[in-house]
Amino acid sequence: MLEALAPQPADALLGLIKLYNADPRADKIDLGVGVYRTATGATPVFKAIKAAEARLLETQDSKSYLGPEGDMGFVHALIPYIFGAGFDRSRVEGMQAPGGTGAVRLAIEVARRAGVRRIIMGTPSWPNHAQIVAAAGLELVTFRHVTPEGTADLEALKAVLADAGPGDAVLLHGCCHNPSGVDYTHAQWDEIAPLLASRAVLPLLDLAYQGLGAGMEEDAYGLRAVLAKVPEALVAYSCDKNFGLYRDRVGAFYAVTGDADALTRAMANGATIARASWSMPPDHGAAAVRLVLDDAELTKVWLAELDDMRGRMRQVRDRLAAAQQVGTIPMAPLGIQNGLFSMLPLNGEQILALREKHGIYMAGTGRINIAGLTSGNIEQFIESLRAVAV
Ligand code: LMR
């Protein structure tokens, strides 16, 4: 029966990894998939994680099952970082998930079971968002995320919310918008939060890059502003980037509600979905994060590493922004955008020319991974862009 299967295109973003690896050019530049790189182009294991892993190796005396919710010590250790030190703990519960993707999937499936039929989402977005919504069988309603001036389009969100209500969930990126790097300002979040509450929609907050924008606290501003106003929300969290644990798949799903019974049901439904999907999340990365967060010294080391990452990305952004205009591409906006990604207004032909003639790999949307640029290749990148963006 397998011949009846429809062919599927390979995932375009993940496909870039293979294309890049197969390119023999020594001066090729990888601006594709979202992984952090140091000034020498490496993606090392965090020192804090290495230390935690060593401790884990020494002390872990069993690999017996934990259950569909995974490592609850990990899940709870993250709560003050995400929700704030003073957050009412009786309003929130969570469970571990395989990466941010697993967390988004859990959030959307739980929303569906709660009666959500439409997911409202700004575009462009991380391509997997739409794919997960489709896999869950929900309708996707989109609105424009970025204005032509390069700011977050609050008016477009307001317009779509005017027609929204119970049965709708609104998926928002907590920080470091993927792919545009264009975040809502604090003032915009302050307007969004009461609006979501007044429309009685279910906010679904995806926080995959906390600490890579302006700082751990600063990057949680929007999420916390929303949770201060709405009665309930779902949160998808990823440690893949801010702990550098990409392939270990470390994420968490949280539900927030003042209704204790509803909270229990949200977790029970999450656990049922997890059991039928992956049974239990992978333990190792989450256990390492727990050990980091339970140890004040390791926490300090981790936060310092995160500061370094953020500082380096800011330097790259400043250098790109200083170029002002490269061919047809305005560069100044990159200086005020956040996180790993920005989008360059390039067409498909130009993106292909950058890859084939100049060995520069980026997503088909013109998204670049800022961390792929180093002092050793940034001038080459700018000159290649100048040659193509005419
Ligand atoms: C990205 O957008 O590059 C990352 O989130 C990796 C992924 O899973 O797509």
Side-chain angles (χ1 to χ4, degrees), residues 42-113:
T43 306
V45 180
F46 279 44
K47 287 192 184 67
I49 290 292
K50 273 278 188 207
E53 286 179 315
R55 203 173 289 174
L56 200 57
L57 197 65
E58 280 291 304
T59 58
Q60 191 172 52
D61 50 15
S62 174
K63 288 193 182 281
S64 166
Y65 293 128
L66 284 182
E69 65 283 345
D71 183 333
M72 289 305 284
F74 154 80
V75 171
H76 290 158
L78 281 169
I79 286 180
Y81 292 95
I82 303 171
F83 300 93
F87 194 75
D88 177 358
R89 292 286 284 262
S90 72
R91 278 184 78 202
V92 60
E93 191 48 282
M95 54 191 291
Q96 201 193 315
T101 302
V104 171
R105 184 70 192 248
L106 273 181
I108 287 180
E109 293 288 354
V110 167
R112 184 178 62 75
R113 287 180 171 212

Side-chain angles (χ1 to χ4, degrees), residues 13-14 32-35 101 126 128 178 209 241 341 367:
L13 192 56
L14 301 185
V33 77
V35 295
T101 302
W126 180 46
N128 215 14
N178 179 4
Y209 297 89
K241 326 288 156 127
F341 307 118
R367 185 191 84 169

